[in-house]
Amino acid sequence: MSKHDDPNTVSPYRDIQQVDDKHALEEVERTLSPDLDKGNQQRYDKVDKELAKYAADEAFEISEEENSRLRRLIDKRVLAIMITTYFIQAIDKGTLSFSSIMGIIDDTGLYGQQYSWLTTCIYITILIVEYPQNYIIARVPIAKYLSFMIVAWGIVLACTALCKNFTGLVVVRTLLGLFESACQPAFVVLSSIWYKREEQASRVTYWYMMNGAQQIVGGLLAYCFSLIKTGPLKSWQWLFLSYGIVSVLYGFFVGWWMPDSPMRAKCFTEEDKRLMVERVRSNQTGVQNRKFKKEQVYEALKDPQVWGYAVVQLCTTLPTSGLGSFQGLIIKSFGFSILETQLLAMVLGFYIIMVLLGSVWIVKKTNQNLLTMLGFCIPSFIGTICLMTVPSETKTQKIGLVICYYITLSFWSAQTLALSMLSRNVGGQTKKSVAVALNFIIWATGNAIGPQVFLATDAPRYFIAFATHLGCYSLLVVVIVGLRFYLKYQNKKRDELAAAGVQEAADAKMVHAFEDLTDKENPNFRYVY
């Protein structure tokens, strides 16, 4: 048995929370010293066999020019697919909101809370299937799996045009949740596989801001479809059918164009594959490991930061889901026509894009993720309070209320940056799959609850819903502040280890980066916050 396997030996990969004072630091240093030579080599038995073929023994420098060239190649094959896929998914999800003012409620005989349940049932499904999805994503060719799911959700979306009642709509919406549940978790994993830590915040933001783009394009297309007054199908039926067919065709394209991983990318040269693996070494979150490790499951479930990211999703998706589903009804309630409502939804899309791009620009300039998230929560408080207190009588007040509705959605920057922090701050493939699953289970919970707080009896101003949102924003602030203190403290303890001479806490060669160590097992890991 080697010293690394001996449970009685202090390991450099043991949770460094056990090191709390100077005496403990000196003890760790003294225990590690005889084994530093062994610990300074990559342990290939712990590296995924497919990855090991392309992983160097230790870090080597890639020039900025070469790094930029590789990033452009990856953007062309991976980022382009993530952006387009998320845009199509956002468009598909937005069809229900747009169809709500195109006649689907009356044509299918919906009443009471039935319309709300058409959104909730999607997220209940996601809540149930999320962990199995993440387990599968970590163990199959990810691009091929994503391609299959896109084709499947396209077929289901097209079938929505055939629905005549609430039962039929619930069935297709539930299936839609099943197939769409793979999209965002797959993107979080893809971001960590292909991109360096400093690139991930912007890449996650680029595909996530397609929520805003769908507001722009979706609103315009929905208006065009609403002009259809004759023919065998109603305007909302043409909307679902057309989007479904486009999604199916695009799904086949994804399977052909997108590589599964740097190691399996037939579109790149062998040398480029090696360089693409090397460029993400500094992430220290791994690239691929299909071995299930139950100790990483326990670590994920006990890690405060994992729960912190999940609560951020709850506090942001609960308002987002309701505001998205009832967007058309809320804006229309201010006295605007169907055309004006569709056009105002497009303006909201521009605002969302500005918020997301603005937040990632600030992060890039300041390297402050959590403080940026905190700053963008302020407009959400202001907008929501105004929506609850300003009357809707004069034209000026109605325009003001629409603007308040726009700025309420500023908290979306927190949702996006939290996703990018999850991909950057969680190491170990099993731990990451559990963390991502937990994140999107809570995400689905928030989305499922969101429409239900918009009570039909509380229409059209929905004071109960907006009061609930204020509670979410308040909890969000508490979690963001707590995460910042926690991550900063963890980095401080690791810096103390390095200062005490523990080589594994200051390993410039990052020889253990591909050994599927978790962030807690690796004292050389530093958190971004």
Side-chain angles (χ1 to χ4, degrees), residues 72-82 84-85 143-144 147 194 249-261 264-268:
R72 287 194 296 270
L73 290 175
I74 295 168
D75 284 346
K76 181 180 177 181
R77 289 279 177 171
V78 180
L79 181 62
I81 290 296
M82 291 197 292
T84 308
T85 302
K144 305 302 182 292
S147 170
W194 290 96
L249 296 175
Y250 174 73
F252 286 114
F253 172 76
V254 170
W256 171 72
W257 181 255
M258 186 181 186
D260 294 303
S261 69
R264 293 190 176 193
K266 296 179 180 179
C267 53
F268 302 137

PDB file of all heavy atoms in Angstrom, residues 72-82 84-85 143-144 147 194 249-261 264-268:
ATOM      1  N   ARG A  72     -10.813  30.014 -31.005  1.00  0.00           N
ATOM      2  CA  ARG A  72     -11.675  30.271 -32.178  1.00  0.00           C
ATOM      3  C   ARG A  72     -12.187  28.961 -32.775  1.00  0.00           C
ATOM      4  O   ARG A  72     -13.352  28.874 -33.194  1.00  0.00           O
ATOM      5  CB  ARG A  72     -10.911  31.076 -33.231  1.00  0.00           C
ATOM      6  CG  ARG A  72     -10.698  32.540 -32.851  1.00  0.00           C
ATOM      7  CD  ARG A  72     -10.240  33.360 -34.048  1.00  0.00           C
ATOM      8  NE  ARG A  72      -8.934  32.929 -34.545  1.00  0.00           N
ATOM      9  CZ  ARG A  72      -7.771  33.421 -34.112  1.00  0.00           C
ATOM     10  NH1 ARG A  72      -7.758  34.356 -33.164  1.00  0.00           N
ATOM     11  NH2 ARG A  72      -6.634  32.988 -34.616  1.00  0.00           N
ATOM     12  N   LEU A  73     -11.324  27.951 -32.819  1.00  0.00           N
ATOM     13  CA  LEU A  73     -11.757  26.647 -33.330  1.00  0.00           C
ATOM     14  C   LEU A  73     -12.858  26.063 -32.458  1.00  0.00           C
ATOM     15  O   LEU A  73     -13.854  25.521 -32.959  1.00  0.00           O
ATOM     16  CB  LEU A  73     -10.565  25.681 -33.373  1.00  0.00           C
ATOM     17  CG  LEU A  73      -9.473  25.949 -34.413  1.00  0.00           C
ATOM     18  CD1 LEU A  73      -8.320  24.967 -34.235  1.00  0.00           C
ATOM     19  CD2 LEU A  73     -10.039  25.852 -35.825  1.00  0.00           C
ATOM     20  N   ILE A  74     -12.666  26.175 -31.155  1.00  0.00           N
ATOM     21  CA  ILE A  74     -13.657  25.641 -30.214  1.00  0.00           C
ATOM     22  C   ILE A  74     -14.961  26.432 -30.296  1.00  0.00           C
ATOM     23  O   ILE A  74     -16.059  25.856 -30.289  1.00  0.00           O
ATOM     24  CB  ILE A  74     -13.090  25.667 -28.783  1.00  0.00           C
ATOM     25  CG1 ILE A  74     -11.896  24.714 -28.671  1.00  0.00           C
ATOM     26  CG2 ILE A  74     -14.162  25.272 -27.767  1.00  0.00           C
ATOM     27  CD1 ILE A  74     -11.096  24.877 -27.391  1.00  0.00           C
ATOM     28  N   ASP A  75     -14.862  27.745 -30.374  1.00  0.00           N
ATOM     29  CA  ASP A  75     -16.068  28.582 -30.484  1.00  0.00           C
ATOM     30  C   ASP A  75     -16.902  28.187 -31.702  1.00  0.00           C
ATOM     31  O   ASP A  75     -18.132  28.130 -31.644  1.00  0.00           O
ATOM     32  CB  ASP A  75     -15.681  30.059 -30.585  1.00  0.00           C
ATOM     33  CG  ASP A  75     -15.250  30.643 -29.253  1.00  0.00           C
ATOM     34  OD1 ASP A  75     -15.495  30.003 -28.210  1.00  0.00           O
ATOM     35  OD2 ASP A  75     -14.660  31.741 -29.251  1.00  0.00           O
ATOM     36  N   LYS A  76     -16.204  27.911 -32.788  1.00  0.00           N
ATOM     37  CA  LYS A  76     -16.889  27.577 -34.042  1.00  0.00           C
ATOM     38  C   LYS A  76     -17.672  26.276 -33.929  1.00  0.00           C
ATOM     39  O   LYS A  76     -18.786  26.165 -34.458  1.00  0.00           O
ATOM     40  CB  LYS A  76     -15.859  27.476 -35.168  1.00  0.00           C
ATOM     41  CG  LYS A  76     -16.443  27.151 -36.533  1.00  0.00           C
ATOM     42  CD  LYS A  76     -15.333  27.073 -37.571  1.00  0.00           C
ATOM     43  CE  LYS A  76     -15.876  26.675 -38.940  1.00  0.00           C
ATOM     44  NZ  LYS A  76     -14.789  26.576 -39.951  1.00  0.00           N
ATOM     45  N   ARG A  77     -17.108  25.300 -33.224  1.00  0.00           N
ATOM     46  CA  ARG A  77     -17.731  23.981 -33.132  1.00  0.00           C
ATOM     47  C   ARG A  77     -18.616  23.799 -31.901  1.00  0.00           C
ATOM     48  O   ARG A  77     -19.580  23.029 -31.935  1.00  0.00           O
ATOM     49  CB  ARG A  77     -16.635  22.900 -33.111  1.00  0.00           C
ATOM     50  CG  ARG A  77     -15.920  22.722 -34.431  1.00  0.00           C
ATOM     51  CD  ARG A  77     -16.728  21.862 -35.371  1.00  0.00           C
ATOM     52  NE  ARG A  77     -16.082  21.724 -36.684  1.00  0.00           N
ATOM     53  CZ  ARG A  77     -16.498  20.897 -37.627  1.00  0.00           C
ATOM     54  NH1 ARG A  77     -17.558  20.130 -37.400  1.00  0.00           N
ATOM     55  NH2 ARG A  77     -15.883  20.837 -38.779  1.00  0.00           N
ATOM     56  N   VAL A  78     -18.279  24.468 -30.798  1.00  0.00           N
ATOM     57  CA  VAL A  78     -18.969  24.228 -29.533  1.00  0.00           C
ATOM     58  C   VAL A  78     -19.839  25.413 -29.115  1.00  0.00           C
ATOM     59  O   VAL A  78     -21.046  25.252 -28.886  1.00  0.00           O
ATOM     60  CB  VAL A  78     -17.954  23.891 -28.414  1.00  0.00           C
ATOM     61  CG1 VAL A  78     -18.676  23.653 -27.088  1.00  0.00           C
ATOM     62  CG2 VAL A  78     -17.126  22.666 -28.791  1.00  0.00           C
ATOM     63  N   LEU A  79     -19.232  26.600 -29.006  1.00  0.00           N
ATOM     64  CA  LEU A  79     -20.001  27.767 -28.558  1.00  0.00           C
ATOM     65  C   LEU A  79     -21.144  28.083 -29.507  1.00  0.00           C
ATOM     66  O   LEU A  79     -22.256  28.403 -29.065  1.00  0.00           O
ATOM     67  CB  LEU A  79     -19.079  28.980 -28.419  1.00  0.00           C
ATOM     68  CG  LEU A  79     -19.760  30.260 -27.922  1.00  0.00           C
ATOM     69  CD1 LEU A  79     -20.331  30.070 -26.518  1.00  0.00           C
ATOM     70  CD2 LEU A  79     -18.775  31.434 -27.943  1.00  0.00           C
ATOM     71  N   ALA A  80     -20.882  27.984 -30.814  1.00  0.00           N
ATOM     72  CA  ALA A  80     -21.937  28.270 -31.798  1.00  0.00           C
ATOM     73  C   ALA A  80     -23.135  27.345 -31.603  1.00  0.00           C
ATOM     74  O   ALA A  80     -24.295  27.772 -31.713  1.00  0.00           O
ATOM     75  CB  ALA A  80     -21.381  28.130 -33.212  1.00  0.00           C
ATOM     76  N   ILE A  81     -22.852  26.072 -31.298  1.00  0.00           N
ATOM     77  CA  ILE A  81     -23.935  25.111 -31.065  1.00  0.00           C
ATOM     78  C   ILE A  81     -24.670  25.424 -29.766  1.00  0.00           C
ATOM     79  O   ILE A  81     -25.910  25.377 -29.706  1.00  0.00           O
ATOM     80  CB  ILE A  81     -23.384  23.678 -31.034  1.00  0.00           C
ATOM     81  CG1 ILE A  81     -22.924  23.251 -32.430  1.00  0.00           C
ATOM     82  CG2 ILE A  81     -24.433  22.698 -30.501  1.00  0.00           C
ATOM     83  CD1 ILE A  81     -24.029  23.170 -33.458  1.00  0.00           C
ATOM     84  N   MET A  82     -23.916  25.757 -28.700  1.00  0.00           N
ATOM     85  CA  MET A  82     -24.567  26.065 -27.424  1.00  0.00           C
ATOM     86  C   MET A  82     -25.474  27.287 -27.554  1.00  0.00           C
ATOM     87  O   MET A  82     -26.602  27.287 -27.038  1.00  0.00           O
ATOM     88  CB  MET A  82     -23.515  26.284 -26.333  1.00  0.00           C
ATOM     89  CG  MET A  82     -22.769  25.029 -25.933  1.00  0.00           C
ATOM     90  SD  MET A  82     -21.895  25.159 -24.338  1.00  0.00           S
ATOM     91  CE  MET A  82     -20.612  26.344 -24.749  1.00  0.00           C
ATOM     92  N   THR A  84     -26.886  28.576 -30.343  1.00  0.00           N
ATOM     93  CA  THR A  84     -28.037  28.301 -31.213  1.00  0.00           C
ATOM     94  C   THR A  84     -29.030  27.365 -30.547  1.00  0.00           C
ATOM     95  O   THR A  84     -30.248  27.564 -30.626  1.00  0.00           O
ATOM     96  CB  THR A  84     -27.562  27.697 -32.547  1.00  0.00           C
ATOM     97  OG1 THR A  84     -26.545  28.518 -33.115  1.00  0.00           O
ATOM     98  CG2 THR A  84     -28.723  27.584 -33.533  1.00  0.00           C
ATOM     99  N   THR A  85     -28.512  26.337 -29.871  1.00  0.00           N
ATOM    100  CA  THR A  85     -29.396  25.375 -29.196  1.00  0.00           C
ATOM    101  C   THR A  85     -30.211  26.058 -28.108  1.00  0.00           C
ATOM    102  O   THR A  85     -31.426  25.837 -27.997  1.00  0.00           O
ATOM    103  CB  THR A  85     -28.575  24.225 -28.583  1.00  0.00           C
ATOM    104  OG1 THR A  85     -27.832  23.573 -29.616  1.00  0.00           O
ATOM    105  CG2 THR A  85     -29.486  23.207 -27.906  1.00  0.00           C
ATOM    106  N   ALA A 143     -22.333  15.144 -27.294  1.00  0.00           N
ATOM    107  CA  ALA A 143     -22.908  15.818 -28.468  1.00  0.00           C
ATOM    108  C   ALA A 143     -23.994  14.966 -29.112  1.00  0.00           C
ATOM    109  O   ALA A 143     -25.041  15.482 -29.527  1.00  0.00           O
ATOM    110  CB  ALA A 143     -21.811  16.133 -29.478  1.00  0.00           C
ATOM    111  N   LYS A 144     -23.759  13.662 -29.202  1.00  0.00           N
ATOM    112  CA  LYS A 144     -24.748  12.762 -29.815  1.00  0.00           C
ATOM    113  C   LYS A 144     -26.007  12.696 -28.949  1.00  0.00           C
ATOM    114  O   LYS A 144     -27.130  12.653 -29.469  1.00  0.00           O
ATOM    115  CB  LYS A 144     -24.152  11.363 -29.992  1.00  0.00           C
ATOM    116  CG  LYS A 144     -22.845  11.311 -30.765  1.00  0.00           C
ATOM    117  CD  LYS A 144     -22.995  11.897 -32.157  1.00  0.00           C
ATOM    118  CE  LYS A 144     -21.689  11.788 -32.950  1.00  0.00           C
ATOM    119  NZ  LYS A 144     -20.615  12.648 -32.408  1.00  0.00           N
ATOM    120  N   SER A 147     -27.955  15.861 -29.400  1.00  0.00           N
ATOM    121  CA  SER A 147     -28.624  15.823 -30.701  1.00  0.00           C
ATOM    122  C   SER A 147     -29.934  15.046 -30.620  1.00  0.00           C
ATOM    123  O   SER A 147     -30.980  15.508 -31.117  1.00  0.00           O
ATOM    124  CB  SER A 147     -27.694  15.174 -31.735  1.00  0.00           C
ATOM    125  OG  SER A 147     -28.377  14.914 -32.943  1.00  0.00           O
ATOM    126  N   TRP A 194     -14.220  22.419 -22.310  1.00  0.00           N
ATOM    127  CA  TRP A 194     -13.589  23.079 -23.457  1.00  0.00           C
ATOM    128  C   TRP A 194     -12.927  24.411 -23.124  1.00  0.00           C
ATOM    129  O   TRP A 194     -12.046  24.859 -23.869  1.00  0.00           O
ATOM    130  CB  TRP A 194     -14.628  23.319 -24.559  1.00  0.00           C
ATOM    131  CG  TRP A 194     -15.097  22.079 -25.252  1.00  0.00           C
ATOM    132  CD1 TRP A 194     -16.212  21.346 -24.986  1.00  0.00           C
ATOM    133  CD2 TRP A 194     -14.465  21.402 -26.353  1.00  0.00           C
ATOM    134  NE1 TRP A 194     -16.330  20.281 -25.829  1.00  0.00           N
ATOM    135  CE2 TRP A 194     -15.259  20.296 -26.687  1.00  0.00           C
ATOM    136  CE3 TRP A 194     -13.300  21.648 -27.096  1.00  0.00           C
ATOM    137  CZ2 TRP A 194     -14.941  19.416 -27.722  1.00  0.00           C
ATOM    138  CZ3 TRP A 194     -12.973  20.775 -28.125  1.00  0.00           C
ATOM    139  CH2 TRP A 194     -13.780  19.674 -28.435  1.00  0.00           C
ATOM    140  N   LEU A 249     -34.933  19.395 -37.438  1.00  0.00           N
ATOM    141  CA  LEU A 249     -33.889  19.512 -38.454  1.00  0.00           C
ATOM    142  C   LEU A 249     -32.572  19.970 -37.829  1.00  0.00           C
ATOM    143  O   LEU A 249     -31.497  19.463 -38.166  1.00  0.00           O
ATOM    144  CB  LEU A 249     -34.327  20.504 -39.544  1.00  0.00           C
ATOM    145  CG  LEU A 249     -35.558  20.080 -40.365  1.00  0.00           C
ATOM    146  CD1 LEU A 249     -35.953  21.204 -41.328  1.00  0.00           C
ATOM    147  CD2 LEU A 249     -35.279  18.796 -41.126  1.00  0.00           C
ATOM    148  N   TYR A 250     -32.658  20.908 -36.909  1.00  0.00           N
ATOM    149  CA  TYR A 250     -31.447  21.407 -36.249  1.00  0.00           C
ATOM    150  C   TYR A 250     -30.799  20.326 -35.391  1.00  0.00           C
ATOM    151  O   TYR A 250     -29.570  20.229 -35.316  1.00  0.00           O
ATOM    152  CB  TYR A 250     -31.794  22.616 -35.387  1.00  0.00           C
ATOM    153  CG  TYR A 250     -30.634  23.098 -34.554  1.00  0.00           C
ATOM    154  CD1 TYR A 250     -29.557  23.766 -35.133  1.00  0.00           C
ATOM    155  CD2 TYR A 250     -30.601  22.851 -33.184  1.00  0.00           C
ATOM    156  CE1 TYR A 250     -28.483  24.185 -34.364  1.00  0.00           C
ATOM    157  CE2 TYR A 250     -29.533  23.268 -32.403  1.00  0.00           C
ATOM    158  CZ  TYR A 250     -28.477  23.938 -33.000  1.00  0.00           C
ATOM    159  OH  TYR A 250     -27.408  24.338 -32.250  1.00  0.00           O
ATOM    160  N   GLY A 251     -31.603  19.489 -34.743  1.00  0.00           N
ATOM    161  CA  GLY A 251     -31.072  18.422 -33.906  1.00  0.00           C
ATOM    162  C   GLY A 251     -30.165  17.483 -34.676  1.00  0.00           C
ATOM    163  O   GLY A 251     -29.106  17.066 -34.181  1.00  0.00           O
ATOM    164  N   PHE A 252     -30.546  17.135 -35.885  1.00  0.00           N
ATOM    165  CA  PHE A 252     -29.694  16.278 -36.725  1.00  0.00           C
ATOM    166  C   PHE A 252     -28.379  16.990 -37.065  1.00  0.00           C
ATOM    167  O   PHE A 252     -27.317  16.359 -37.107  1.00  0.00           O
ATOM    168  CB  PHE A 252     -30.438  15.889 -37.999  1.00  0.00           C
ATOM    169  CG  PHE A 252     -31.522  14.869 -37.783  1.00  0.00           C
ATOM    170  CD1 PHE A 252     -32.856  15.192 -37.984  1.00  0.00           C
ATOM    171  CD2 PHE A 252     -31.207  13.578 -37.350  1.00  0.00           C
ATOM    172  CE1 PHE A 252     -33.852  14.254 -37.771  1.00  0.00           C
ATOM    173  CE2 PHE A 252     -32.205  12.634 -37.141  1.00  0.00           C
ATOM    174  CZ  PHE A 252     -33.530  12.971 -37.351  1.00  0.00           C
ATOM    175  N   PHE A 253     -28.436  18.287 -37.290  1.00  0.00           N
ATOM    176  CA  PHE A 253     -27.225  19.053 -37.598  1.00  0.00           C
ATOM    177  C   PHE A 253     -26.245  19.027 -36.418  1.00  0.00           C
ATOM    178  O   PHE A 253     -25.030  18.889 -36.612  1.00  0.00           O
ATOM    179  CB  PHE A 253     -27.597  20.502 -37.935  1.00  0.00           C
ATOM    180  CG  PHE A 253     -26.410  21.412 -38.076  1.00  0.00           C
ATOM    181  CD1 PHE A 253     -25.608  21.384 -39.204  1.00  0.00           C
ATOM    182  CD2 PHE A 253     -26.078  22.300 -37.052  1.00  0.00           C
ATOM    183  CE1 PHE A 253     -24.502  22.223 -39.328  1.00  0.00           C
ATOM    184  CE2 PHE A 253     -24.979  23.136 -37.159  1.00  0.00           C
ATOM    185  CZ  PHE A 253     -24.195  23.097 -38.302  1.00  0.00           C
ATOM    186  N   VAL A 254     -26.765  19.143 -35.200  1.00  0.00           N
ATOM    187  CA  VAL A 254     -25.908  19.130 -34.008  1.00  0.00           C
ATOM    188  C   VAL A 254     -25.107  17.831 -33.932  1.00  0.00           C
ATOM    189  O   VAL A 254     -23.906  17.838 -33.640  1.00  0.00           O
ATOM    190  CB  VAL A 254     -26.751  19.313 -32.726  1.00  0.00           C
ATOM    191  CG1 VAL A 254     -25.910  19.059 -31.474  1.00  0.00           C
ATOM    192  CG2 VAL A 254     -27.335  20.720 -32.674  1.00  0.00           C
ATOM    193  N   GLY A 255     -25.757  16.705 -34.189  1.00  0.00           N
ATOM    194  CA  GLY A 255     -25.078  15.421 -34.145  1.00  0.00           C
ATOM    195  C   GLY A 255     -23.952  15.314 -35.150  1.00  0.00           C
ATOM    196  O   GLY A 255     -22.962  14.594 -34.921  1.00  0.00           O
ATOM    197  N   TRP A 256     -24.065  16.024 -36.256  1.00  0.00           N
ATOM    198  CA  TRP A 256     -23.037  15.991 -37.299  1.00  0.00           C
ATOM    199  C   TRP A 256     -21.901  16.979 -37.029  1.00  0.00           C
ATOM    200  O   TRP A 256     -20.734  16.675 -37.268  1.00  0.00           O
ATOM    201  CB  TRP A 256     -23.676  16.303 -38.650  1.00  0.00           C
ATOM    202  CG  TRP A 256     -22.690  16.511 -39.758  1.00  0.00           C
ATOM    203  CD1 TRP A 256     -21.924  15.559 -40.379  1.00  0.00           C
ATOM    204  CD2 TRP A 256     -22.353  17.762 -40.379  1.00  0.00           C
ATOM    205  NE1 TRP A 256     -21.125  16.136 -41.335  1.00  0.00           N
ATOM    206  CE2 TRP A 256     -21.372  17.491 -41.362  1.00  0.00           C
ATOM    207  CE3 TRP A 256     -22.785  19.074 -40.194  1.00  0.00           C
ATOM    208  CZ2 TRP A 256     -20.819  18.491 -42.153  1.00  0.00           C
ATOM    209  CZ3 TRP A 256     -22.238  20.067 -40.987  1.00  0.00           C
ATOM    210  CH2 TRP A 256     -21.269  19.776 -41.946  1.00  0.00           C
ATOM    211  N   TRP A 257     -22.198  18.147 -36.498  1.00  0.00           N
ATOM    212  CA  TRP A 257     -21.250  19.251 -36.425  1.00  0.00           C
ATOM    213  C   TRP A 257     -20.449  19.300 -35.123  1.00  0.00           C
ATOM    214  O   TRP A 257     -19.274  19.632 -35.117  1.00  0.00           O
ATOM    215  CB  TRP A 257     -21.997  20.576 -36.599  1.00  0.00           C
ATOM    216  CG  TRP A 257     -21.126  21.807 -36.580  1.00  0.00           C
ATOM    217  CD1 TRP A 257     -21.005  22.701 -35.559  1.00  0.00           C
ATOM    218  CD2 TRP A 257     -20.271  22.278 -37.619  1.00  0.00           C
ATOM    219  NE1 TRP A 257     -20.134  23.700 -35.903  1.00  0.00           N
ATOM    220  CE2 TRP A 257     -19.659  23.468 -37.176  1.00  0.00           C
ATOM    221  CE3 TRP A 257     -19.956  21.813 -38.898  1.00  0.00           C
ATOM    222  CZ2 TRP A 257     -18.769  24.191 -37.941  1.00  0.00           C
ATOM    223  CZ3 TRP A 257     -19.064  22.535 -39.672  1.00  0.00           C
ATOM    224  CH2 TRP A 257     -18.476  23.707 -39.189  1.00  0.00           C
ATOM    225  N   MET A 258     -21.051  18.944 -34.007  1.00  0.00           N
ATOM    226  CA  MET A 258     -20.435  19.180 -32.698  1.00  0.00           C
ATOM    227  C   MET A 258     -19.640  17.975 -32.204  1.00  0.00           C
ATOM    228  O   MET A 258     -20.157  16.856 -32.170  1.00  0.00           O
ATOM    229  CB  MET A 258     -21.519  19.535 -31.680  1.00  0.00           C
ATOM    230  CG  MET A 258     -20.989  19.933 -30.320  1.00  0.00           C
ATOM    231  SD  MET A 258     -22.361  20.289 -29.201  1.00  0.00           S
ATOM    232  CE  MET A 258     -21.476  20.886 -27.778  1.00  0.00           C
ATOM    233  N   PRO A 259     -18.377  18.164 -31.797  1.00  0.00           N
ATOM    234  CA  PRO A 259     -17.587  17.059 -31.228  1.00  0.00           C
ATOM    235  C   PRO A 259     -17.991  16.765 -29.783  1.00  0.00           C
ATOM    236  O   PRO A 259     -18.447  17.650 -29.068  1.00  0.00           O
ATOM    237  CB  PRO A 259     -16.145  17.571 -31.311  1.00  0.00           C
ATOM    238  CG  PRO A 259     -16.276  19.068 -31.266  1.00  0.00           C
ATOM    239  CD  PRO A 259     -17.575  19.398 -31.939  1.00  0.00           C
ATOM    240  N   ASP A 260     -17.796  15.511 -29.358  1.00  0.00           N
ATOM    241  CA  ASP A 260     -18.176  15.105 -28.003  1.00  0.00           C
ATOM    242  C   ASP A 260     -17.198  15.610 -26.952  1.00  0.00           C
ATOM    243  O   ASP A 260     -17.591  15.944 -25.840  1.00  0.00           O
ATOM    244  CB  ASP A 260     -18.260  13.577 -27.915  1.00  0.00           C
ATOM    245  CG  ASP A 260     -19.383  13.018 -28.767  1.00  0.00           C
ATOM    246  OD1 ASP A 260     -20.529  13.434 -28.561  1.00  0.00           O
ATOM    247  OD2 ASP A 260     -19.105  12.172 -29.635  1.00  0.00           O
ATOM    248  N   SER A 261     -15.909  15.648 -27.281  1.00  0.00           N
ATOM    249  CA  SER A 261     -14.868  16.073 -26.344  1.00  0.00           C
ATOM    250  C   SER A 261     -13.613  16.384 -27.147  1.00  0.00           C
ATOM    251  O   SER A 261     -13.527  16.023 -28.335  1.00  0.00           O
ATOM    252  CB  SER A 261     -14.585  14.968 -25.329  1.00  0.00           C
ATOM    253  OG  SER A 261     -13.949  13.870 -25.964  1.00  0.00           O
ATOM    254  N   ARG A 264     -12.169  13.186 -28.674  1.00  0.00           N
ATOM    255  CA  ARG A 264     -12.928  12.501 -29.728  1.00  0.00           C
ATOM    256  C   ARG A 264     -13.219  13.392 -30.936  1.00  0.00           C
ATOM    257  O   ARG A 264     -13.958  12.986 -31.833  1.00  0.00           O
ATOM    258  CB  ARG A 264     -14.250  11.995 -29.162  1.00  0.00           C
ATOM    259  CG  ARG A 264     -14.101  10.886 -28.136  1.00  0.00           C
ATOM    260  CD  ARG A 264     -15.448  10.282 -27.818  1.00  0.00           C
ATOM    261  NE  ARG A 264     -15.336   9.161 -26.903  1.00  0.00           N
ATOM    262  CZ  ARG A 264     -16.325   8.300 -26.649  1.00  0.00           C
ATOM    263  NH1 ARG A 264     -17.489   8.458 -27.244  1.00  0.00           N
ATOM    264  NH2 ARG A 264     -16.137   7.302 -25.813  1.00  0.00           N
ATOM    265  N   ALA A 265     -12.639  14.574 -30.959  1.00  0.00           N
ATOM    266  CA  ALA A 265     -12.965  15.544 -32.014  1.00  0.00           C
ATOM    267  C   ALA A 265     -12.233  15.194 -33.313  1.00  0.00           C
ATOM    268  O   ALA A 265     -11.060  15.522 -33.485  1.00  0.00           O
ATOM    269  CB  ALA A 265     -12.603  16.946 -31.554  1.00  0.00           C
ATOM    270  N   LYS A 266     -12.914  14.530 -34.239  1.00  0.00           N
ATOM    271  CA  LYS A 266     -12.313  14.158 -35.517  1.00  0.00           C
ATOM    272  C   LYS A 266     -12.051  15.378 -36.400  1.00  0.00           C
ATOM    273  O   LYS A 266     -11.277  15.304 -37.359  1.00  0.00           O
ATOM    274  CB  LYS A 266     -13.229  13.181 -36.252  1.00  0.00           C
ATOM    275  CG  LYS A 266     -13.405  11.849 -35.524  1.00  0.00           C
ATOM    276  CD  LYS A 266     -14.344  10.928 -36.289  1.00  0.00           C
ATOM    277  CE  LYS A 266     -14.520   9.593 -35.554  1.00  0.00           C
ATOM    278  NZ  LYS A 266     -15.449   8.688 -36.285  1.00  0.00           N
ATOM    279  N   CYS A 267     -12.670  16.483 -36.071  1.00  0.00           N
ATOM    280  CA  CYS A 267     -12.512  17.702 -36.871  1.00  0.00           C
ATOM    281  C   CYS A 267     -11.217  18.442 -36.547  1.00  0.00           C
ATOM    282  O   CYS A 267     -10.869  19.414 -37.239  1.00  0.00           O
ATOM    283  CB  CYS A 267     -13.711  18.623 -36.657  1.00  0.00           C
ATOM    284  SG  CYS A 267     -14.065  18.980 -34.920  1.00  0.00           S
ATOM    285  N   PHE A 268     -10.497  18.026 -35.502  1.00  0.00           N
ATOM    286  CA  PHE A 268      -9.246  18.681 -35.109  1.00  0.00           C
ATOM    287  C   PHE A 268      -8.067  17.726 -35.286  1.00  0.00           C
ATOM    288  O   PHE A 268      -8.225  16.502 -35.242  1.00  0.00           O
ATOM    289  CB  PHE A 268      -9.305  19.140 -33.648  1.00  0.00           C
ATOM    290  CG  PHE A 268     -10.422  20.087 -33.333  1.00  0.00           C
ATOM    291  CD1 PHE A 268     -11.182  19.944 -32.177  1.00  0.00           C
ATOM    292  CD2 PHE A 268     -10.733  21.130 -34.197  1.00  0.00           C
ATOM    293  CE1 PHE A 268     -12.224  20.815 -31.885  1.00  0.00           C
ATOM    294  CE2 PHE A 268     -11.771  22.007 -33.913  1.00  0.00           C
ATOM    295  CZ  PHE A 268     -12.521  21.847 -32.764  1.00  0.00           C
TER     296      PHE A 268
END
